[in-house]
Amino acid sequence: MDGWTDPRAAMGTLPQYPHAHQDELVSAAGRGMAPVAAAVLGDGLVSVDADRTDGRQFFVLTDSRGGTATVWVDAVPLVRGTLADTATNTTSQHYVIRVSDRLPTRMLHRVLARELGELMAVRERAAEGLAPVREDSLREGTELPSEQALSVADRGRVGELNWLAARSSAPDVSPEQQAQARAEFSALLDPYGMRPTAAMSDEEAFRAQERAARARYRVAFGSLSTEAVGLLDTLAHPIEALPPADATALRAARDAAVRAERQVEAFIGRREITMPMPGYDQNGLPLPRDQLEPAAERWAQYREQVSERTVGALEGQLAAGQFPLRKVVIGGGASLTGRDPEALLVDAAGRWHLDPGNGIVQSADQDRDLAQWMGVDPYAAVEDPRHRVSIHAVRVWEDQLATQGDVVNGRARLRLGLGGELLAEIRPSGPDGQESDTPLWVACDGTPSIATGLTPDAVPGMPRGATGVESRSEAVRLIGDRLRELEGQAVPGARELRAWLTLAERGGADARTVLGALESSALKDALMDGLDEETGARMDNCFTALDSTGKWETAREAAPGRALLGDEVAENRFDPRAAQHWIIAGSGGTGVANAEIILRENPDAYVTIIGNAPPDALRHQVQYPEMLERYTTGENPRLTIGRTEVGAVETYQHENGETWFQADYVIEATGERRTARAAGYVCSLGRTNPLPPALQVLADEVRDRGGEISGDLQFDRDDQYIGYGLTFAVDGREHRVDVDGAASWQLPREIFAPKTGVQAALNEMGQRGLPSETGNAAPGFSPIARQSALRARAVAEAAAGDPDAVRRLPTVPERWQRPDLTRPSTVTSTAPAPAPAPVAMAATAPTAVTPAVETETETETAAAPGTQADTPAEPTAQPTAQPTSEPTAQPAPEASAQHAPEASAGRGAPAAPAPGISGSHLWQMGVHRGGAGRPNAPDRQEQQPPPPGHEPPEPGVGLDD
């Protein structure tokens, strides 16, 4: 996404409006979209119809060819330096423009003009099956791209020019506003390379710039409005040849822009920065599509070599009596965007390395911002921008990022050491996927990070709703909590039953054994006695959850390989030919993906998906519409979708002696009632919310020692969600662990209780930030790549001494609450006092993620109560002895207190417009000279060359590219 960059936002000095300002921005968009669209699209626009649904503003644009595009507009928190961005969905023709809720209202329409220009460029190119033009033409300088065509960013810039040209002569605006628009138009010609900026006396430089400006004019001409062409004819001349008033305005704008740029340069400093570019060859070009699969195989082999080397080094340290002390990251996937090359990565290379599907469920257009956050080009991985991104490309990207530092292919879990240290128990896996019987032990230096992906599937029949119980483990935990209460009341047998229940759960006893013990216990009635209605209903649901889990376990035993969880299908841990007819319980994205895998891998299979009505989000993705067209039509449709409330799994004895499955459902379109009978059953009913597997044993150990576990949500200084954090307090010490990636969107219910509403607030924030119309969701591949890049930047800034870089909050910030568009707005369109600091909305092209610059940051408004500054982690003390495979509890000395670093000192007053000089306000409106870039990701350390025999695969792929 080619978001607008703003140095003032990069420095944290944009105005901080009240929450109601979001209402004003969205309402202003409603009032102004029609004239903005008319100016940007010209004769290509037939009509603009505005409407609202569920409190959201959208517009239906009809073009001269009869096509329509639905454009949604919202004002939300965006990353520093970004005034707007747009999610493009050329699959369903829905486009979501997100403007910063700190954008002054007076700047909104120009921002909308740019975003409309960009999204229409993506739309038009996709209609022809063409990827967007990569290189910008409208850039200052004499060099021109090889392809004489406008990029997406260029079309946005032309949209700006068309809007300003229209404003410069609009009869409904004042002469002062017309002059302001003219001055803004003129000022943009410098950074867009459409006017020579060299002095006419420097003939060689002037002529070169003049030729380049004429070439750019020819490229842009077909997209420029008549008014814009007229203004260009007047203003696209050197300053010496302009009319006096225009020359004065341009000179003031240039001077103010230089002052603003100097302020930004002083703020961010200058440094050489590099970063790996996954999926590119040694010449910096994206890998051809036909090379992706063999490249993925080579990179997988290289990753295995790096893993073997890392394991060997750790084993050597342990054998020499040296306990390794490392930063530890457990899990990978899209979160590898934030990969710290100094950290030890332990990752089983799951999900996309195992998925036998066609690719991720989004198209290249829908995931185009991967270029910004992961540094990859999704368009290079597809033939058509509306096609899904290749699974082989994803594997190449992930393996290249994983091998930027030490990596162990395998799994890990955190444990308490003999002296209370935080340790990682690592079990490497070989090329065959088999885990080692002998673990490796590593002491955790600083705060470990967990990014183990989506949480486990729920089994059929779990009670839902306000008193729901989502899993067997939650049922056992809640019953154990009730038994602890009875123990406190001196009820005989409560302590013994709770101890047995704990051992049974940790020992892996099946749900039928646990349920049988509870049903036969003399304490069963006591568990319910004295409870209020809500608590009693939840306790009753604990027994329902255990009963449903028991039925599921029985079904799996009776039909081995044919009663599956969705993840077993997604990770290719099943035989698609084990059954010719499959029931898939669950009509969401996971269920649909599982159906596609089965239908693809078994051409003779039939699939019936049952559940609630498929969520509306599916029709905005590429996968679901393709599946409906391919498998539900024709002479032999192999996919049926029915509606029902899915309960516990139902089995029966088939005439061939096998255990089969059945489920009643309704065809919604006709109301016809049917019963599906199938030899295979896949449960894809949603996710549970436990602690990540890597933390479950640690939690048990902490609680066994009488410790406590607490949690908080983590946001960066721009109110962007970057995961949640857990604090394990035990024996006078505190250990912090951060959770990133898809797992961070499923808060563990034992820490974040449902009654607090935190999970619901997080869900609403995710939906607002990425509405279903984008074809994406917060835990998706591209959004997690973005989240992890932002997290890495925030952590690096915190380590450099910024106390506000990582904010720990009890819930979602107010800025993410949706405004009430039904009430009159009380916010004016002018910025609040004091006057805003300088801004330069630099129109920059999409770039690869680059390392973040360590900077000072101005203190923003006071943090909410209960927040605390993030402090750089101190190295963990070297363990005194290597633990056994089951470390024993021993008291540890109380940890010394850590103090947050002091806030950075303030800076001098920003540049301001010169009173009485026309055009000097343009530092607020995007004039720059050389431009501020996008927000940067954290610094990357240069990787050490591998030893002989472990070189990266060649030819075609270079590790350091």
Side-chain angles (χ1 to χ4, degrees):
M1 301 179 187
D2 188 23
W4 293 35
T5 56
D6 179 343
R8 212 172 34 150
M11 296 183 291
T13 56
L14 273 176
Q16 297 196 36
Y17 295 93
H19 186 238
H21 183 61
Q22 296 182 359
D23 301 37
E24 170 63 20
L25 286 170
V26 176
S27 297
R31 297 189 299 269
M33 179 60 80
V36 170
V40 173
L41 305 180
D43 295 338
L45 179 70
V46 173
S47 65
V48 178
D49 297 311
D51 205 348
R52 289 177 179 173
T53 181
D54 298 328
R56 302 169 60 208
Q57 179 74 61
F58 70 95
F59 309 86
V60 179
L61 278 59
T62 303
D63 61 32
S64 56
R65 298 180 181 178
T68 61
T70 302
V71 179
W72 302 78
V73 177
D74 200 0
V76 298
L78 295 179
V79 298
R80 74 192 73 170
T82 301
L83 297 185
D85 67 15
T86 298
T88 57
N89 189 343
T90 52
T91 298
S92 63
Q93 291 301 316
H94 283 254
Y95 304 83
V96 180
I97 297 176
R98 296 165 293 210
V99 299
S100 170
D101 62 353
R102 293 181 174 176
L103 178 74
T105 308
R106 66 180 180 277
M107 297 162 63
L108 174 67
H109 292 160
R110 178 176 159 188
V111 167
L112 291 178
R114 175 177 179 123
E115 297 302 312
L116 275 179
E118 289 196 9
L119 72 86
M120 286 301 169
V122 174
R123 180 173 182 260
E124 292 167 10
R125 297 277 295 186
E128 300 176 10
L130 301 174
V133 177
R134 290 191 178 94
E135 296 182 87
D136 292 344
S137 291
L138 304 186
R139 283 290 193 182
E140 189 174 13
T142 57
E143 293 185 8
L144 296 171
S146 57
E147 185 174 2
Q148 296 296 297
L150 295 178
S151 68
V152 169
D154 288 337
R155 288 287 299 275
R157 295 169 185 131
V158 170
E160 286 181 83
L161 294 175
N162 288 345
W163 167 247
L164 293 172
R167 291 279 292 175
S168 71
S169 59
D172 59 338
V173 302
S174 68
E176 292 78 10
Q177 291 173 318
Q178 290 178 345
Q180 177 178 318
R182 180 185 178 99
E184 293 171 13
F185 182 100
S186 177
L188 287 178
L189 302 184
D190 282 3
Y192 294 176
M194 303 186 76
R195 168 198 289 132
T197 57
M200 296 181 68
S201 57
D202 186 353
E203 185 172 351
E204 182 178 354
F206 176 81
R207 293 302 179 194
Q209 291 183 8
E210 186 179 43
R211 287 192 296 272
R214 289 175 178 173
R216 294 186 180 97
Y217 178 85
R218 290 192 294 270
V219 172
F221 181 81
S223 299
L224 290 166
S225 65
T226 302
E227 293 86 351
V229 170
L231 270 186
L232 273 169
D233 289 344
T234 302
L235 299 174
H237 301 289
I239 193 169
E240 298 93 331
L242 290 178
D246 292 322
T248 300
L250 178 59
R251 190 173 293 109
R254 286 178 174 178
D255 291 345
V258 169
R259 291 196 301 271
E261 183 184 6
R262 286 173 180 169
Q263 184 185 14
V264 173
E265 289 176 355
F267 176 76
I268 65 174
R270 290 184 178 274
R271 63 172 62 187
E272 293 296 324
I273 45 181
T274 60
M275 106 144 250
M277 294 286 286
Y280 289 73
D281 65 16
Q282 65 268 25
N283 298 315
L285 299 175
L287 290 172
R289 287 188 300 275
D290 59 0
Q291 292 185 22
L292 287 173
E293 186 170 2
E297 295 175 357
R298 293 195 299 271
W299 274 100
Q301 294 169 1
Y302 177 65
R303 174 170 171 160
E304 181 62 33
Q305 293 174 349
V306 175
S307 175
E308 292 174 355
R309 183 185 70 200
T310 304
V311 169
L314 294 175
E315 289 175 336
Q317 285 183 271
L318 291 169
Q322 300 174 358
F323 209 100
L325 179 65
R326 298 294 302 271
K327 297 178 183 178
V328 173
V329 175
I330 302 174
S335 67
L336 289 169
T337 299
R339 167 82 158 105
D340 180 353
E342 294 183 353
L344 171 63
L345 171 67
V346 184
D347 178 36
R351 192 60 182 102
W352 300 117
H353 284 76
L354 303 175
D355 194 316
N358 295 330
I360 59 179
V361 299
Q362 285 81 30
S363 69
D365 275 340
Q366 291 168 337
D367 279 349
R368 67 190 182 113
D369 60 341
L370 281 172
Q372 178 181 357
W373 299 110
M374 187 176 262
V376 300
D377 182 4
Y379 292 107
V382 296
E383 183 176 355
D384 186 294
R386 296 163 293 186
H387 290 174
R388 293 160 65 180
V389 177
S390 163
I391 199 75
H392 302 298
V394 173
R395 292 169 181 169
V396 169
W397 300 339
E398 290 188 0
D399 285 346
Q400 283 187 311
L401 290 171
T403 52
Q404 293 300 313
D406 290 341
V407 60
V408 173
N409 289 343
R411 302 183 188 276
R413 58 183 182 178
L414 298 183
R415 305 287 299 273
L416 287 179
L418 297 175
E421 308 91 348
L422 190 59
L423 308 178
E425 179 189 9
I426 303 171
R427 293 190 180 270
S429 58
D432 58 357
Q434 294 298 312
E435 291 186 358
S436 170
D437 294 331
T438 304
L440 301 173
W441 292 92
V442 172
C444 297
D445 182 9
T447 302
S449 179
I450 309 297
T452 46
L454 295 171
T455 53
D457 295 291
V459 304
M462 291 294 107
R464 298 289 185 173
T467 60
V469 178
E470 64 174 16
S471 66
R472 161 221 171 105
S473 61
E474 183 176 29
V476 170
R477 176 174 58 81
L478 293 174
I479 294 172
D481 291 344
R482 176 57 176 159
L483 287 170
R484 184 181 289 106
E485 293 176 1
L486 296 178
E487 182 182 343
Q489 300 169 14
V491 174
R495 181 175 183 275
E496 290 76 13
L497 182 57
R498 184 170 68 88
W500 180 89
L501 197 62
T502 299
L503 290 174
E505 180 68 8
R506 295 181 185 178
D510 60 68
R512 292 159 294 184
T513 299
V514 173
L515 182 61
L518 292 170
E519 292 280 6
S520 62
S521 171
L523 294 175
K524 181 182 179 183
D525 293 338
L527 289 171
M528 304 292 297
D529 290 345
L531 299 179
D532 59 50
E533 182 178 357
E534 180 179 343
T535 308
R538 183 173 289 109
M539 184 58 59
D540 187 58
N541 281 337
C542 289
F543 284 83
T544 301
L546 289 171
D547 181 60
S548 295
T549 305
K551 291 177 179 178
W552 178 247
E553 291 170 349
T554 300
R556 285 173 68 88
E557 291 174 0
R562 293 185 287 112
L564 305 169
L565 293 172
D567 283 343
E568 292 176 290
V569 176
E571 296 177 0
N572 204 22
R573 294 183 281 121
F574 84 116
D575 179 6
R577 297 183 180 273
Q580 297 305 99
H581 189 179
W582 295 81
I583 294 172
I584 294 184
S587 54
T590 303
V592 168
N594 293 159
E596 181 190 50
I597 290 171
I598 291 172
L599 291 167
R600 175 187 173 185
E601 298 298 308
N602 183 354
D604 299 321
Y606 292 82
V607 172
T608 301
I609 298 177
I610 60 171
N612 296 324
D616 186 60
L618 290 179
R619 71 183 180 90
H620 295 290
Q621 295 180 349
V622 183
Q623 181 185 49
Y624 186 62
E626 285 182 350
M627 282 184 59
L628 294 181
E629 181 178 357
R630 181 172 182 179
Y631 295 117
T632 64
T633 59
E635 298 181 356
N636 183 30
R638 297 198 288 134
L639 174 63
T640 302
I641 301 176
R643 187 166 184 175
T644 190
E645 291 293 329
V646 178
V649 63
E650 295 182 39
T651 62
Y652 70 98
Q653 200 73 15
H654 190 264
E655 60 187 15
N656 65 6
E658 293 180 338
T659 295
W660 278 39
F661 306 88
Q662 63 182 15
D664 297 329
Y665 65 95
V666 175
I667 299 295
E668 190 167 14
T670 63
E672 178 187 357
R673 296 182 177 274
R674 297 182 184 178
T675 299
R677 295 183 174 86
Y681 187 104
V682 180
C683 179
S684 303
L685 289 167
R687 301 288 172 176
T688 57
N689 291 50
L691 282 166
L695 298 177
Q696 290 172 2
V697 173
L698 174 64
D700 291 341
E701 292 173 340
V702 168
R703 288 174 176 138
D704 287 347
R705 298 188 188 187
E708 296 181 348
I709 308 171
S710 60
D712 48 51
L713 304 186
Q714 297 179 341
F715 292 83
D716 67 10
R717 65 184 309 112
D718 304 315
D719 286 329
Q720 304 298 304
Y721 182 63
I722 55 175
Y724 69 83
L726 298 174
T727 300
F728 297 83
V730 59
D731 297 336
R733 304 180 67 168
E734 286 190 352
H735 298 294
R736 281 203 60 88
V737 179
D738 293 340
V739 179
D740 185 18
S744 68
W745 288 88
Q746 300 290 126
L747 304 178
R749 286 159 68 106
E750 61 190 277
I751 309 298
F752 302 88
K755 64 182 180 182
T756 64
V758 178
Q759 179 69 69
L762 188 65
N763 293 344
E764 291 172 4
M765 181 190 72
Q767 177 64 20
R768 188 178 180 195
L770 277 171
S772 59
E773 291 82 10
T774 65
N776 248 310
F781 185 84
S782 180
I784 290 301
R786 173 186 181 275
Q787 173 182 314
S788 297
L790 291 176
R791 173 179 180 75
R793 181 178 71 177
V795 169
E797 290 173 348
D802 183 351
D804 298 318
V806 178
R807 302 166 60 224
R808 307 188 189 282
L809 305 179
T811 190
V812 172
E814 182 190 16
R815 290 174 68 193
W816 280 107
Q817 297 175 12
R818 189 175 296 281
D820 182 5
L821 298 182
T822 62
R823 60 178 172 80
S825 176
T826 58
V827 180
T828 63
S829 61
T830 58
V839 57
M841 295 191 298
T844 59
T847 59
V849 180
T850 52
V853 184
E854 297 178 0
T855 66
E856 294 182 339
T857 52
E858 288 188 346
T859 303
E860 300 194 48
T861 53
T867 65
Q868 69 180 62
D870 190 39
T871 58
E874 296 182 359
T876 305
Q878 186 80 358
T880 56
Q882 180 176 341
T884 62
S885 58
E886 297 294 334
T888 57
Q890 291 185 3
E894 184 172 347
S896 59
Q898 295 183 358
H899 301 281
E902 297 181 358
S904 57
R907 287 176 298 278
I917 300 180
S918 175
S920 64
H921 65 286
L922 293 178
W923 48 262
Q924 293 179 328
M925 299 302 295
V927 182
H928 76 304
R929 305 222 12 121
R934 293 185 176 278
N936 296 324
D939 284 333
R940 305 272 181 165
Q941 301 294 326
E942 183 177 353
Q943 185 177 351
Q944 297 299 316
H950 287 177
E951 291 81 5
E954 292 183 2
V957 184
L959 178 61
D960 296 323
D961 293 333

